[in-house]
Amino acid sequence: TGLRSAGSLGSTVFIAGPTFNGWVAFTAWDAGTGKIVQSKPEKFSVWSGSLNTAGGLSCYGTLEGYFKCVDAKDINKELYKFKTPSGIIGNVFTYEHKGKQYMGVFSGIGGWAGIGMAAGLEKDTDGLGAVGGYRDLNKHTDLGGSLTVFALPN
């Protein structure tokens, strides 16, 4: 069973029972049907958006701070992984400058998932339950904000 809720930013949040892995997976959805097409397990929930390229890459960030690129046709096939200084909740972006293409991502754990670390909260129920849900996050990432940019090969 599950509960759909309209989030404060106009998003839809789906909370479900213990068999739903959407909280701890990078998930590809069919936009037409709303059905899960592929799912790649992760240690913690994936809060970043993904950047999908015409060349078949899908790039995203994890709460532990990994910038990852996977094969868009098989998202369990990891093609690249880089550890940034902090957890990633922002979106991967790309731009071109003087004929060279770049990809970047902001890292800096925060928001609901990072409130325990950021505010020093300890009880599982603190932060509307985020502290309990992300109890081990501080073992995998640090606080702080950074911008990591990658130059793509020609």
Side-chain angles (χ1 to χ4, degrees), residues 4-62:
R4 284 194 187 269
S5 162
S8 62
L9 298 175
S11 62
T12 299
V13 177
F14 183 73
I15 301 170
T19 59
F20 179 71
N21 71 352
W23 278 108
V24 292
F26 176 60
T27 304
W29 298 83
D30 180 317
T33 66
K35 305 255 187 234
I36 294 175
V37 178
Q38 298 181 67
S39 187
K40 179 183 186 303
E42 293 291 347
K43 181 144 189 74
F44 297 101
S45 55
V46 176
W47 284 60
S48 82
S50 64
L51 173 74
N52 301 295
T53 71
L57 287 179
S58 186
C59 303
Y60 65 101
T62 70

Side-chain angles (χ1 to χ4, degrees), residues 14-139:
F14 183 73
I15 301 170
T19 59
F20 179 71
N21 71 352
W23 278 108
V24 292
F26 176 60
T27 304
W29 298 83
D30 180 317
T33 66
K35 305 255 187 234
I36 294 175
V37 178
Q38 298 181 67
S39 187
K40 179 183 186 303
E42 293 291 347
K43 181 144 189 74
F44 297 101
S45 55
V46 176
W47 284 60
S48 82
S50 64
L51 173 74
N52 301 295
T53 71
L57 287 179
S58 186
C59 303
Y60 65 101
T62 70
L63 287 181
E64 307 102 278
Y66 287 104
F67 169 82
K68 295 182 176 186
C69 292
V70 296
D71 184 325
K73 291 183 180 176
D74 178 4
I75 64 174
N76 286 290
K77 184 177 178 185
E78 201 167 271
L79 304 173
Y80 183 79
K81 179 167 112 174
F82 179 86
K83 180 76 163 96
T84 66
S86 185
I88 298 171
I89 61 173
N91 294 321
V92 178
F93 58 89
T94 186
Y95 63 94
E96 184 180 312
H97 179 69
K98 296 184 179 179
K100 185 86 174 148
Q101 186 175 3
Y102 299 86
M103 273 188 176
V105 67
F106 289 103
S107 63
I109 193 65
W112 183 68
I115 190 65
M117 290 177 64
L121 304 176
E122 295 181 9
K123 292 192 300 188
D124 283 352
T125 56
D126 285 347
L128 300 175
V131 173
Y134 295 95
R135 165 96 28 228
D136 291 336
L137 187 57
N138 65 355
K139 296 175 185 171

